[in-house]
Each structure stands twice: as structure tokens, then as C-alpha cells.
Amino acid sequence: MDMDYTATQSGFTQYPKLRMRNTSKDRTDPSQLFDDTSAAPGVEPAGFPGQGVGAMGYPGQTLLSDPMSNLAMAYGSSLASQGKDLVDKNLDRFLPISKLKYYFAVDTVYVGKKLGLLVFPYMHQNWEVSYQQDTPVAPRFDINAPDLYIPAMGFITYILVSGLALGTQNRFTPEILGMQASSALVWLIMEVLAILLSLYLVTVNTDLTTIDLVAFSGYKYVGMIVGVVAGLLFGRMGYYLTLLWCCISIFIFMIRTLRLKLLSEAAAQGVLVHGARNQLRMYLTMSIAAAQPIFMYWLTYHLVG
């Protein structure tokens, strides 16, 4: 403690002034411009004693620890799971995703043999689909099994070849190419719907599915592509000759394939067809086969100049 003496008229009067030692004033470095206000390590910050970052926690910790929030989250998860199962069930009813894998189970050998069969079906003898425990084998093991790979790739290739043919004639525009693709798709859908309606009216009990009909109706794109390419290379005469060959080939292919699906066992074995119902089935088979060349010409004749 320091003593301060002030001179007055009555003498010396003592006024004590207290100043604590070891304060910041005493510790201040003369060369330091600002005071060091940082706390020493291990000292809690002022203002909120006992409440550090660990005590505050995270903003969502209180929400997650609430029982009502946990119950709501569990209920929401259960509802989402039930909705997913319902969507998968209804989707599989109208579009059997699991069955589509069968139609794309192909390999390079199958694709090559099937393309040869579509263009040259005259020497093929056995047209029956092979089964294994009442289940048809995958297309890569049986050339007679229908697939969706060739129709899908054929449709895409047909659109590309159509754009090429239109470009060689200076008639290519994105709008025309879009109309070409839409027209081909609409005709395919109408053809499949017409076949389904005909099967219903004739009351044919067959194992043909809608996907089978899409596959068989899509095989005509192979002949259409061959015809358009021949027209680009050899002119109209090459187009007509090639398309005629492909039309006859697809007609024979459809007759020999569908007769095992639509006609009776006797008709499939080549026995004379008897009865009005079998005759209707025979006419329906020939009508489906005859419609393929008509669509092939209708969708390609304007592409060859």
C-alpha cells in the first residue's frame, strides 16, 4: 500500500490510495499497444459460468431425445415402407418388371442367329419353344423364344436410319424425325391392341402375353432397316426387291411361330383344321402375319427418294 501526502495550510494530510499489486497495469508491457484480454488456458469464459460448448450440445439433440419425435419418425418410416410396397405391387401388375428380365436375357450368339432367322426362315424346322420345369428357357438358350432386345434395338436403329435417309434428301428436321418416331410407336401400340382385342373376341386360350405380342410385332423393324439401307445404296429398285424379300420372310416367320400359340395341337402338327373356332384362329394367325408387310411398307416407302 502506497501513501500519498498532500500539502495543505494546516500541514500535511495523509490520503491513502489503494492499488492492488500484480494487476494488469503492473504487468503491461510498455511496448504493447493493446491489452491482452484472452483468458488463460483452463479458465472458463465469463458471463456463462459452467456452460461450455459441451454443455450446450447440438440443436437437434433435444428434438431427437423427445419421445414424441421418435414416435413420429417411426410412424413416418413405416408409412413410407407401406407406400413403397403398394407402388411396387401395382407397378408389377401393369408392368411386370421382373418378367422383363427374361426377355432381355440374350447374348451375341442368340442375336446373330435370330437376325438370320428373321431374314431367312425357310430352312428352319423346329419352331417350338423349349421348356424347363413348365418354364420357358431364356432366349439365349432357345432361338425360338421371343425377346425384346432385338425389337427395342430395331426401333431405335429404324429411327436413326430414317434420319439418315431424310438427311440425304435434304428433308431432315428434328420435328420430322420426332413425328417419324411417334408414328412408328403409335402404330405398334395400335397393332398390339388390335391383336389383343381379336384374341378376346375369338376367345383364344393361349399362353401369349402382351409382351410376347410386342416382341413379335417388333421383329418387323429388322426387315424395314434392311430395306431402307438397300434403298440408300441401290436406289428404289434395291429397296423394293429387298423389302419384298423381308416381307415374305417375316410373313413366314409369323405364321410358323404363331400357329403353335394360336392353333390347336392338330393344326400345329399339320393336320387338316376342322371346326369354326379353329378356322377363326387360322384366319387370325394369317391376318397378324399379313399385317406385318403392310406396316413395313407404310413406314418406309417415303424414306427412299
Side-chain angles (χ1 to χ4, degrees), residues 156-185:
I156 297 175
T157 307
Y158 163 71
I159 301 302
L160 297 178
V161 172
S162 299
L164 177 63
L166 293 173
T168 58
Q169 304 173 22
N170 296 325
R171 294 190 295 132
F172 174 81
T173 59
E175 292 78 10
I176 294 180
L177 188 63
M179 292 180 59
Q180 188 74 20
S182 302
S183 176
L185 183 61

Side-chain angles (χ1 to χ4, degrees), residues 209-263:
T209 63
T210 304
I211 304 179
D212 292 335
L213 296 178
V214 173
F216 289 128
S217 300
Y219 285 140
K220 61 177 171 285
Y221 292 117
V222 176
M224 294 164 57
I225 295 169
V226 175
V228 174
V229 172
L232 293 176
L233 296 177
F234 307 106
R236 276 195 169 273
M237 183 59 64
Y239 162 75
Y240 284 119
L241 292 177
T242 306
L243 187 66
L244 178 63
W245 176 275
C246 293
C247 288
I248 297 175
S249 299
I250 196 66
F251 179 81
I252 296 177
F253 173 83
M254 295 294 287
I255 286 289
R256 293 183 177 179
T257 301
L258 294 180
R259 70 173 184 174
L260 300 176
K261 302 290 185 179
L262 302 181
L263 301 180

Side-chain angles (χ1 to χ4, degrees), residues 55-119:
M56 295 176 62
Y58 297 97
Q61 184 175 0
T62 305
L63 179 62
L64 294 176
S65 61
D66 189 1
M68 293 300 297
S69 301
N70 294 334
L71 182 61
M73 292 179 62
Y75 178 75
S77 301
S78 177
L79 189 63
S81 178
Q82 292 178 2
K84 181 179 180 298
D85 294 339
L86 183 62
V87 170
D88 293 341
K89 181 179 179 181
N90 291 331
L91 183 63
D92 189 69
R93 181 193 304 177
F94 297 102
L95 185 61
I97 303 298
S98 59
K99 294 182 179 179
L100 288 178
K101 297 180 181 179
Y102 165 81
Y103 293 92
F104 285 95
V106 300
D107 55 11
T108 306
V109 177
Y110 168 83
V111 173
K113 291 182 178 180
K114 195 58 171 282
L115 291 176
L117 182 62
L118 292 172
V119 178

Side-chain angles (χ1 to χ4, degrees), residues 172-219:
F172 174 81
T173 59
E175 292 78 10
I176 294 180
L177 188 63
M179 292 180 59
Q180 188 74 20
S182 302
S183 176
L185 183 61
V186 169
W187 279 115
L188 178 63
I189 295 175
M190 292 179 60
E191 178 185 358
V192 173
L193 292 178
I195 295 175
L196 289 174
L197 179 60
S198 301
L199 293 176
Y200 174 76
L201 295 177
V202 181
T203 63
V204 176
N205 294 325
T206 177
D207 58 351
L208 279 175
T209 63
T210 304
I211 304 179
D212 292 335
L213 296 178
V214 173
F216 289 128
S217 300
Y219 285 140

Side-chain angles (χ1 to χ4, degrees), residues 20 76 90 172 195 218 235 264 276 300 302-303:
M20 301 300 295
N90 291 331
F172 174 81
I195 295 175
S264 61
T300 56
H302 61 282
L303 298 175

Side-chain angles (χ1 to χ4, degrees), residues 27 36-46:
R27 295 194 308 268
D36 187 7
T37 59
S38 61
V43 179
E44 294 181 354

